[in-house]
Amino acid sequence: MSASMSAVGLDVQALRRDFPSLDQQVHDKPLAYLDNAASAQTPLPVIDAIRDHYLRDRSNVHRGVHELSQRATNAYEKARVKVQRFLNAPSYEEIIWTRGTTEGVNLVASSWGRANVRAGDEVLISALEHHSNIVPWQMLCQQSGATLRVIPMNQAGELLQDEYERLLTERTKLVAVNHVSNALGTINPVREMIAKAHAVGAVVLIDGAQAIPHMAVDVRALDADFYAFSGHKIFGPTGIGALYGKKALLEAMPPYQGGGDMIASVTFEKTIYNDLPYKFEAGTPNIADAIGLGAAVDYVQKIGMDAIAAYEAELLSYATEKVAAIDGVRLIGTARHKASVLSFEVVGVHPHDVGTILDREGVAVRAGHHCAQPVMEFYGVAATTRASFAFYNTREEIDQLVGAIGKVKELFG
Ligand code: C6P
């Protein structure tokens, strides 16, 4: 085992060389990038895949008979199959390219929701949701006359499963919950939650934005009806993501948007829609970034999702112990099952001040409400400071974080 090998066998120093952006100074300090839950860094193979597309194959997809268009189409569709296999989805037809998790949720709320949700029905979300898994359902409920219900949580940030069971009734048409909370890091027991929802006939959407970079996701084993994620959280480009949906559901759903590529034929009298997945992909897609996301999926699979999860569990436990031991620091979110997120407050100091001082020490974190204002309200804070880890982070970077929090206390003590 080389000196840079972790206890679980990840050669972190070697992996870091794939991420040139990690190797820089910020305010004359070495960068400790601990804002991965917002956007992770991008490795060279992903950058190369995008570059290769622009250098060699740049053209539109599904439209040209010429060589460049054929090559671009092949690479683009190959990337879809990579995502399909990564999620263990039965068919490539069930993978729809989106701009990210937000668009995936909006697609389901607009298309499935408008076709299936009526006055008197209920949509069930949780107290842990990101705004993008709240607002589209609120909009749907306002339009349809349905009622939005919320699964409550405890002080640790765990959803109350008995309350969940109580809220599930024959009126529940859809359950939308995240796999991992972005504000607290709680891993929700989605497999069991999906089974319970199915028992009352409800359809389930899982917001996988924060789970996808940290653990193996198997949509078949979960029996998820819809699973949405974003490319930029899994070391891929921004502006691209994917939505998995069960074929039977997708086939029965009306299109989300109208335009080119989503049609089989158009006359002024009638349009026949294209087959899956293209029915949901109107207009020229984000070709280069879909290819980049395919490369990102290859990249993490090469490392191994289980190895990533094991290494990050070690890192989170080290960070939790170190940060919790600092006098005057309160951890926010202490669920038994957590992934890669450490939210905290330095008592008496505004998180924006904490974030700014940490930045001066080279430590990049997110300070704010994390687009999860109901979570902040639950804990009675306007915002938290959030450190979030990826497999390329190290114990030394966590020590740097701890030292920087010490600086905050020195300045505000
Ligand atoms: N959370 C964070 O710093 P988009 O913006 O569409 O890629 O992802 C939205 C989204 C949905 N669900 C969860 C659980 C998320 O964490 C996010 C994005 C970022 O926590 C940016 S707000």
Side-chain angles (χ1 to χ4, degrees):
M1 195 162 96
S2 83
S4 67
M5 290 292 261
S6 76
V8 295
L10 227 58
D11 192 343
V12 174
Q13 290 309 325
L15 291 170
R16 284 177 72 90
R17 286 195 283 280
D18 289 334
F19 294 84
S21 55
L22 293 174
D23 184 21
Q24 59 176 301
Q25 303 264 315
V26 169
H27 306 301
D28 295 327
K29 306 275 166 47
L31 168 68
Y33 189 79
L34 305 180
D35 195 19
N36 296 287
S39 270
Q41 297 299 322
T42 308
L44 288 169
V46 172
I47 297 166
D48 289 345
I50 297 167
R51 192 166 178 271
D52 285 352
H53 169 76
Y54 283 114
L55 286 180
R56 255 199 353 246
D57 302 342
R58 167 63 161 176
S59 55
N60 214 318
V61 290
H62 305 144
R63 286 157 172 83
V65 291
H66 61 78
E67 174 67 16
L68 267 61
S69 177
Q70 300 280 341
R71 278 195 236 139
T73 304
N74 284 344
Y76 174 77
E77 290 302 335
K78 229 165 123 181
R80 192 193 305 273
V81 172
K82 288 177 186 182
V83 171
Q84 174 212 334
R85 293 189 178 145
F86 185 56
L87 297 178
N88 194 29
S91 156
Y92 78 95
E93 295 165 290
E94 297 172 304
I95 304 299
I96 296 156
W97 294 122
T98 62
R99 282 188 293 122
T101 311
T102 304
E103 189 174 45
V105 178
N106 275 280
L107 190 160
V108 177
S110 293
S111 170
W112 187 91
R114 281 198 219 160
N116 291 284
V117 176
R118 305 270 171 273
D121 291 341
E122 293 181 358
V123 173
L124 188 51
I125 60 170
S126 92
L128 276 175
E129 298 313 309
H130 183 280
H131 296 163
S132 60
N133 204 24
I134 301 174
V135 184
W137 306 117
Q138 260 172 352
M139 289 161 65
L140 172 67
C141 288
Q142 276 159 11
Q143 286 153 8
S144 64
T147 304
L148 191 70
R149 300 233 179 264
V150 183
I151 311 161
M153 64 175 168
N154 63 20
Q155 276 298 320
E158 294 161 332
L159 296 180
L160 300 176
Q161 294 300 317
D162 48 348
E163 291 293 319
Y164 173 53
E165 283 169 32
R166 206 179 50 74
L167 285 163
L168 277 173
T169 69
E170 72 287 351
R171 288 188 300 280
T172 315
K173 284 287 162 303
L174 179 126
V175 175
V177 288
N178 58 40
H179 198 164
V180 172
S181 147
N182 70 315
L184 308 180
T186 309
I187 302 174
N188 288 313
V190 288
R191 189 178 173 154
E192 294 75 14
M193 291 179 77
I194 291 169
K196 286 174 191 167
H198 286 169
V200 298
V203 160
V204 184
L205 175 137
I206 302 296
D207 166 352
Q210 297 294 344
I212 204 80
H214 302 302
M215 60 187 75
V217 170
D218 180 333
V219 291
R220 261 192 272 193
L222 293 176
D223 200 18
D225 297 301
F226 298 104
Y227 197 100
F229 73 94
S230 306
H232 65 108
K233 314 262 193 216
I234 183 169
F235 318 101
T238 50
I240 188 78
L243 171 73
Y244 159 77
K246 281 184 183 161
K247 193 172 170 184
L249 289 169
L250 293 173
E251 271 177 342
M253 284 158 57
Y256 173 47
Q257 292 177 331
D261 226 23
M262 53 75 73
I263 55 89
S265 72
V266 178
T267 64
F268 287 118
E269 288 71 40
K270 183 175 166 61
T271 291
I272 297 171
Y273 304 129
N274 206 342
D275 294 330
L276 291 176
Y278 313 110
K279 182 172 90 175
F280 292 104
E281 295 179 351
T284 297
N286 187 351
I287 303 162
D289 293 324
I291 294 167
L293 177 50
V297 162
D298 280 345
Y299 185 84
V300 292
Q301 278 186 309
K302 215 162 132 199
I303 303 171
M305 293 312 296
D306 291 341
I308 289 175
Y311 175 71
E312 289 180 357
E314 236 181 37
L315 212 56
L316 181 66
S317 131
Y318 181 75
T320 305
E321 196 183 308
K322 291 277 172 183
V323 174
I326 305 171
D327 196 31
V329 168
R330 173 167 83 119
L331 295 187
I332 299 195
T334 50
R336 276 159 298 166
H337 302 291
K338 278 187 63 172
S340 277
V341 165
L342 199 65
S343 243
F344 59 91
E345 66 167 348
V346 181
V347 178
V349 188
H350 194 283
H352 288 156
D353 292 330
V354 177
T356 306
I357 296 163
L358 263 48
D359 175 55
R360 303 303 299 182
E361 297 299 311
V363 181
V365 293
R366 184 166 173 192
H369 55 57
H370 316 298
C371 303
Q373 282 182 327
V375 175
M376 301 297 115
E377 199 184 329
F378 176 83
Y379 286 100
V381 294
T384 73
T385 305
R386 182 189 69 183
S388 53
F389 312 112
F391 60 79
Y392 45 57
N393 289 125
T394 63
R395 286 182 176 224
E396 289 71 29
E397 288 177 313
I398 289 164
D399 294 341
Q400 192 177 337
L401 166 70
V402 170
I405 298 173
K407 215 31 171 250
V408 173
K409 295 196 55 193
E410 234 172 82
L411 288 167
F412 283 86

